[in-house]
Amino acid sequence: MATPALRGPFQLGDRVQLTGPKGRMNTITLEAGGEFHSHKGMIRHDDIVGVPDASVIANSNGEEYLALRPLLSDFVMSMPRGAAIVYPKDAAQIISLADIFPGARVVEAGVGSGALSLHLLRAVGPEGEVHSFERREEFADIARANARAYAGEDPANWTVRVGDLQEALPSALESGSVDRVVLDMLAPWECVGVTAEALAPGGVVICYVATVTQLSRTVEEFRRSGLFTHPQASETMVRGWHVEGLAVRPDHRMVGHTGFLVTARKLAPGTNLPSLKRRASKSDFTDADMASWLPDMGADGDPGAWSEENVGQLVKSDKILRKKAREAKRIADHRVGTSEGVTDTADAAEAAETAPDERSQ
């Protein structure tokens, strides 16, 4: 995967994060003759070119801005979104818990806006492969454009296929050739069988789900399949701290629950996993108990009960998705065009500045 320059003076085509005195962030793409405007004044892009990373730049009114190359976590938090993104805190856990390594062949189901895809591509390195499957063409378009905007080109080791994982994966990749599978989708339990077929023995599957009902349904399907080790479930919460002199306390606001992670490893063919030894307790349950809790289990189960609306996921209209796709494409085209010395199009000028990032640094 080609990546933007990570060190050295700023160059034309670089993405630059400008942070004002109140912590307000704006991300721009440097172009010859370009200008960044705010109600406090203006900064010429040419005044930033050649300046070392992490420098302070004064605008036309003398107000100072800190100029930094955006980290990957900064980029994914401010890029155009079609679907909700996997937050950096969860992406980091996915890379660690799934043991995504350089050179790995990774399958991703549910590309969304491409945030997790970018983390996976960085983890596997240029020798690895990421094969992403997405049901909606609009999401795939947004993800491709975001990746191009970040890297400056389409990643050569990333393949995005539009279609259902259960139908597309068997014909796309040979059985037992995949090292890791990441399922970021509404109903990952539907893909347990095809995932097991694609994974090499010992390979890792990790699922990202939003609600406890999805968590329970996913774990039970792994157990019932007999094809994986006992699944492990976890949740990651990050709480920032305010540290200023003697005023040291937790921040008033935090990103709490975003999702649950479920991990398991593929068993070798013909392996029977030993049962976990535990004491009998009042928490023992039957299939009837599970059917009362999970809507598609039991004789009268309704698989259609699992919908984005029912699990509380925000569903964007087709109109909004088309708008986000156009926005992502403009930013990507401008990023690529600027690095190639092409900066005289109307679309490039429109894409020079993105919406400000409201996070404080």
Side-chain angles (χ1 to χ4, degrees):
M1 176 188 179
T3 57
L6 301 179
R7 63 171 64 177
F10 292 118
Q11 305 172 24
L12 291 177
D14 281 354
R15 298 283 286 173
V16 180
Q17 179 178 279
L18 297 173
T19 306
K22 295 184 178 180
R24 186 179 179 87
M25 298 179 185
N26 291 269
T27 304
I28 63 174
T29 301
L30 295 181
E31 62 172 281
E35 296 177 346
F36 165 73
H37 290 266
S38 72
H39 67 287
K40 294 288 187 178
M42 177 268 291
I43 297 177
R44 293 183 175 85
H45 291 198
D46 292 338
D47 293 338
I48 303 176
V49 173
V51 172
D53 195 357
S55 295
V56 174
I57 307 292
N59 68 7
S60 56
N61 290 330
E63 191 164 64
E64 295 182 330
Y65 285 76
L66 177 63
L68 290 166
R69 281 192 174 89
L71 303 176
L72 177 55
S73 57
D74 296 320
F75 179 84
V76 300
M77 291 299 292
S78 62
M79 69 187 190
R81 305 180 189 181
I85 66 168
V86 174
Y87 273 67
K89 72 182 182 70
D90 293 314
Q93 286 290 86
I94 289 171
I95 298 300
S96 177
L97 294 176
D99 191 36
I100 310 292
F101 58 90
R105 174 180 272 191
V106 178
V107 166
E108 175 195 22
V111 70
S113 300
L116 181 58
S117 304
L118 291 173
H119 285 90
L120 294 174
L121 286 164
R122 173 170 285 184
V124 302
E127 302 301 320
E129 303 173 12
V130 176
H131 297 264
S132 299
F133 296 80
E134 173 55 55
R135 289 180 173 178
R136 301 192 62 170
E137 182 72 48
E138 299 92 335
F139 289 167
D141 289 342
I142 294 171
R144 291 189 189 102
N146 282 331
R148 190 164 63 252
Y150 179 73
E153 63 181 16
D154 293 316
N157 58 341
W158 186 37
T159 303
V160 182
R161 297 177 176 89
V162 177
D164 192 290
L165 182 74
Q166 294 168 273
E167 300 173 359
L169 180 55
S171 60
L173 299 171
E174 58 271 24
S175 175
S177 67
V178 175
D179 298 302
R180 304 290 186 261
V181 174
V182 183
L183 302 178
D184 174 17
M185 55 196 305
L186 184 65
W189 53 87
E190 297 176 350
C191 299
V192 168
V194 71
T195 294
E197 182 68 21
L199 277 172
V204 180
V205 58
I206 185 164
C207 305
Y208 179 80
V209 293
T211 68
V212 293
T213 46
Q214 291 170 291
L215 171 66
S216 179
R217 184 68 177 87
T218 302
V219 168
E220 292 307 320
E221 190 61 35
F222 278 124
R223 287 177 177 154
R224 288 166 176 264
S225 73
L227 302 172
F228 291 88
T229 60
H230 297 293
Q232 303 292 319
S234 64
E235 178 187 20
T236 304
M237 289 184 283
V238 176
R239 182 173 68 175
W241 279 68
H242 173 90
V243 181
E244 188 174 339
L246 299 180
V248 181
R249 54 168 176 74
D251 282 340
H252 294 308
R253 299 175 63 186
M254 66 175 288
V255 177
H257 172 75
T258 49
F260 299 103
L261 296 176
V262 180
T263 59
R265 300 188 69 177
K266 166 72 181 300
L267 294 173
T271 300
N272 293 317
L273 189 66
S275 300
L276 291 175
K277 294 182 179 180
R278 59 186 180 88
R279 294 180 181 178
S281 70
K282 294 180 180 180
S283 63
D284 288 345
F285 57 88
T286 66
D287 288 346
D289 295 326
M290 296 306 300
S292 67
W293 162 247
L294 300 171
D296 65 330
M297 297 189 71
D300 300 322
D302 177 18
W306 296 101
S307 67
E308 293 173 322
E309 293 85 354
N310 287 343
V311 300
Q313 291 187 9
L314 179 64
V315 181
K316 293 184 178 179
S317 68
D318 291 342
K319 181 179 179 181
I320 292 177
L321 290 178
R322 289 193 296 269
K323 178 181 177 182
K324 292 295 181 181
R326 290 194 300 269
E327 180 185 350
K329 184 177 184 300
R330 283 197 299 268
I331 296 172
D333 290 347
H334 176 63
R335 169 82 164 85
V336 176
T338 301
S339 59
E340 295 176 351
V342 180
T343 60
D344 57 350
T345 66
D347 282 349
E350 184 177 352
E353 297 177 12
T354 64
D357 188 334
E358 299 293 348
R359 294 170 299 141
S360 60
Q361 183 158 306

